[in-house]
């Protein structure tokens, strides 16, 4: 029995090795812990080869873990075959049967399980309705667009009411515009169905807009799990900071501390100012400043603000915003995004001009460890 507070999926210390044809061992999953709530939209995000598909396949049962435990709805699953798990998967390739109608594609799993015709038709109709494909039961998949085929694949995956839907890069074959509208539809579908989604993408924007929580993976390791804002504002390490959003990352050492603030010197000699927090003199850290955290003028009291000065290298107008690239005398490249509202300051944004970029010291995020 599942309860609202019980996670749908609990994975502990999951390890999976592969052996390449050349005989080398690949650690696709290297001790992954993850739990997914009953009505949660969780996204696995990371570069190609980081273990996303392997983790999904372990949950669905198409792959066996070398070690670790997998519990779905309170039941240990390690020895349960895929077709007995309350889980379905939607793939990037829709994998519909071309010779079967849309309705028969969606109803196939119900038919195999011996669900009577009448109930089958009702449930197929409902599932197609949910994905906005009502009335298209009789069509053959070949006559549908890519987006429509993906909707049919979705209907097929939800028709037998799984507790959990796994989606492996389901939108990456669609063009940008369709992908964005499908993102919103998927999110809506998930909340209407009230079931958990584990969604895979390598696209950080997609992960940020769709997820309740994001799991950032790299090299089979969980780098960070958190809500999108937390992952963006307070990345746990340099990998997460660099993978999600644009970032200016400085390796730096704490050189001065007072009650409120700390001053740091970057490895090339830029001076930075941050909130003191727990920082100790001489501590090695990394400082993250997002491009949109910079301003052309000091926005408040200068005590809590700081600046970086340099020479403008390039300015690109991207509609509403200017993307500015500046280089400090020490040689650091700093990327800033300046709002169109500051257009009167356009002069300052010309290549070769000296520019001062202001930021609030408390907005700078300090990451532990400046290890090279
Ligand atoms: N069947 C397999 N045999 C050998 N290596 C594999 C196999 N499947 C995946 N791998 C390797 O495991 C790692 C993780 O792969 P995968 O989970 O597919 O990553 P992702 O889905 O994040 O791109 C990669 O290094 C990949 O090459
Ligand atoms: Mg994959």
């Amino acid at each position: 029995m599942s309860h609202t507070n019980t996670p749908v999926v609990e994975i502990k210390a999951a390890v999976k090795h592969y052996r390449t044809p050349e005989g080398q061992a690949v650690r696709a999953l290297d001790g992954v812990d993850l739990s997914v709530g009953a009505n949660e939209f969780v996204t696995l995000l990371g570069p190609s080869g980081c273990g996303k598909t392997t983790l999904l396949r372990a949950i669905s049962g198409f792959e066996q873990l070398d070690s670790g435990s997998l519990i779905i709805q309170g039941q240990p699953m390690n020895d349960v075959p895929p077709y007995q798990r309350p889980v379905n998967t939607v793939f990037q390739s829709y994998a519909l049967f071309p010779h079967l109608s849309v309705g028969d594609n969606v109803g196939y799993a119900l038919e195999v399980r011996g669900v009577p015709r009448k109930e089958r038709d009702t449930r197929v109709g409902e599932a197609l309705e949910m994905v906005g494909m009502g009335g298209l039961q009789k069509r053959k998949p070949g006559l549908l667009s890519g987006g429509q085929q993906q909707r049919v694949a979705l209907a097929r995956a939800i028709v037998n009411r799984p507790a959990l839907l796994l989606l492996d890069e389901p939108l990456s074959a669609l063009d940008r515009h369709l992908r964005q509208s499908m993102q919103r539809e998927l999110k809506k579908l998930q909340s209407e169905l009230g079931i958990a989604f584990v969604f895979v993408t390598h696209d950080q924007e997609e992960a940020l807009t769709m997820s309740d929580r994001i799991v950032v993976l790299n090299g089979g390791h969980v780098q960070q799990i958190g809500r999108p804002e937390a992952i963006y504002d307070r990345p746990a390490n340099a990998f997460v900071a660099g993978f999600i959003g644009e970032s200016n990352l400085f390796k730096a050492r704490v050189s001065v501390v007072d009650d409120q603030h700390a001053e740091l010197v970057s490895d090339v000699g830029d001076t930075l100012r941050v909130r003191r927090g727990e920082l100790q003199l001489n501590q090695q850290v990394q400082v993250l400043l997002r491009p949109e955290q910079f301003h052309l003028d000091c926005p408040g009291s200068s005590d809590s603000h700081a600046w970086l000065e340099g020479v403008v290298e390039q300015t690109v107008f991207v509609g509403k915003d200017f993307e500015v690239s500046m280089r400090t005398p020490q040689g650091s490249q700093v990327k800033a995004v300046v709002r169109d509202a500051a257009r009167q300051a356009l002069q300052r944004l010309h290549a070769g001009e000296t520019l001062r970029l202001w930021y609030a010291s408390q907005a700078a995020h300090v990451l532990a460890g400046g290890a090279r």
Side-chain angles (χ1 to χ4, degrees):
M1 277 272 85
S2 74
H3 303 276
T4 37
N5 295 334
T6 319
V8 184
V9 186
E10 271 185 289
I11 297 160
K12 292 216 176 77
V15 172
K16 176 71 189 179
H17 290 90
Y18 290 112
R19 199 154 280 284
T20 65
E22 297 77 33
Q24 270 159 341
V26 178
R27 264 184 176 246
L29 298 176
D30 196 7
V32 170
D33 293 329
L34 173 65
S35 111
V36 179
N39 187 15
E40 228 191 344
F41 196 120
V42 168
T43 297
L44 309 180
L45 174 68
S48 180
C50 72
K52 305 180 296 293
T53 294
T54 304
L55 186 53
L56 276 200
R57 289 174 60 83
I59 297 171
S60 63
F62 292 110
E63 209 69 75
Q64 286 290 315
L65 292 174
D66 297 341
S67 62
S69 70
L70 168 67
I71 292 170
I72 302 180
Q73 292 188 306
Q75 305 294 318
M77 284 287 139
N78 294 59
D79 300 318
V80 176
Y83 61 90
Q84 284 177 359
R85 299 186 184 193
V87 170
N88 274 328
T89 308
V90 178
F91 302 96
Q92 180 185 331
S93 61
Y94 326 117
L96 301 173
F97 297 120
H99 58 286
L100 294 183
S101 70
V102 163
D104 288 343
N105 263 285
V106 175
Y108 184 77
L110 301 179
E111 191 181 346
V112 170
R113 288 222 236 132
V115 176
R117 171 111 231 165
K118 198 149 175 283
E119 188 188 338
R120 218 160 70 209
D121 286 348
T122 310
R123 282 168 61 178
V124 166
E126 281 170 6
L128 283 169
E129 210 57 62
M130 289 209 79
V131 298
M133 292 286 287
L136 292 177
Q137 273 97 326
K138 298 274 182 295
R139 289 266 183 98
K140 289 280 167 62
L143 296 174
L144 302 174
S145 72
Q148 288 175 317
Q149 290 186 46
Q150 191 54 293
R151 287 192 178 86
V152 175
L154 265 171
R156 180 183 55 184
I158 60 175
V159 75
N160 60 1
R161 298 165 196 166
L164 174 67
L165 195 62
L166 308 174
L167 304 103
D168 198 351
E169 312 220 16
L171 307 182
S172 41
L174 307 176
D175 68 55
R176 185 182 160 80
H177 191 73
L178 184 55
R179 202 165 77 224
Q180 285 175 342
S181 67
M182 287 287 282
Q183 286 171 3
R184 285 187 285 275
E185 281 181 39
L186 264 183
K187 181 95 186 117
K188 187 157 158 276
L189 182 67
Q190 187 261 337
S191 70
E192 283 169 6
L193 285 167
I195 65 173
F197 277 26
V198 179
F199 180 91
V200 164
T201 184
H202 60 265
D203 181 325
Q204 41 120 350
E205 219 175 288
E206 193 160 281
L208 289 171
T209 54
M210 296 182 77
S211 320
D212 293 321
R213 283 190 306 154
I214 297 174
V215 181
V216 184
L217 284 169
N218 191 34
H221 284 282
V222 173
Q223 304 292 315
Q224 188 171 6
I225 302 182
R227 302 188 65 79
E229 314 86 77
I231 298 250
Y232 186 83
D233 293 337
R234 296 182 298 283
N237 57 42
F239 175 81
V240 177
F243 192 73
I244 293 165
E246 290 279 327
S247 60
N248 297 288
L249 203 55
F250 300 87
K251 288 169 183 152
R253 188 180 55 80
V254 179
S255 59
V256 180
V257 290
D258 64 27
D259 290 353
Q260 305 276 329
H261 300 103
E263 231 173 71
L264 301 95
V265 180
S266 82
D267 54 357
V268 297
D270 303 298
T271 304
L272 297 153
R273 192 170 161 85
V274 305
R275 203 161 49 90
R276 161 140 198 205
E278 307 286 300
L279 289 176
Q280 302 295 325
L281 210 56
N282 287 322
Q283 196 178 335
Q284 277 296 138
V285 295
Q286 299 189 71
V287 176
L288 170 69
L289 283 163
R290 298 289 190 189
E292 67 276 11
Q293 288 173 331
F294 289 110
H295 311 275
L296 292 184
D297 299 293
C298 182
S301 85
S302 55
D303 183 50
S304 60
H305 285 77
W307 73 82
L308 284 163
E309 204 167 65
V311 172
V312 176
E313 290 194 321
Q314 195 185 35
T315 299
V316 180
F317 180 57
V318 290
K320 266 205 326 256
D321 295 330
F322 291 95
E323 289 176 359
V324 185
S325 166
M326 180 187 90
R327 195 170 293 276
T328 67
Q330 286 72 27
S332 303
Q333 196 193 42
V334 181
K335 285 175 277 180
V337 171
V338 182
R339 281 263 113 137
D340 188 16
R343 211 180 253 216
Q344 65 271 24
L346 206 53
Q347 295 292 359
R348 286 191 266 172
L349 302 182
H350 283 152
E353 293 288 323
T354 299
L355 187 65
R356 191 172 277 190
L357 292 171
W358 291 83
Y359 60 94
S361 49
Q362 65 272 18
H365 174 61
V366 178
L367 291 85
R372 327 258 129 141

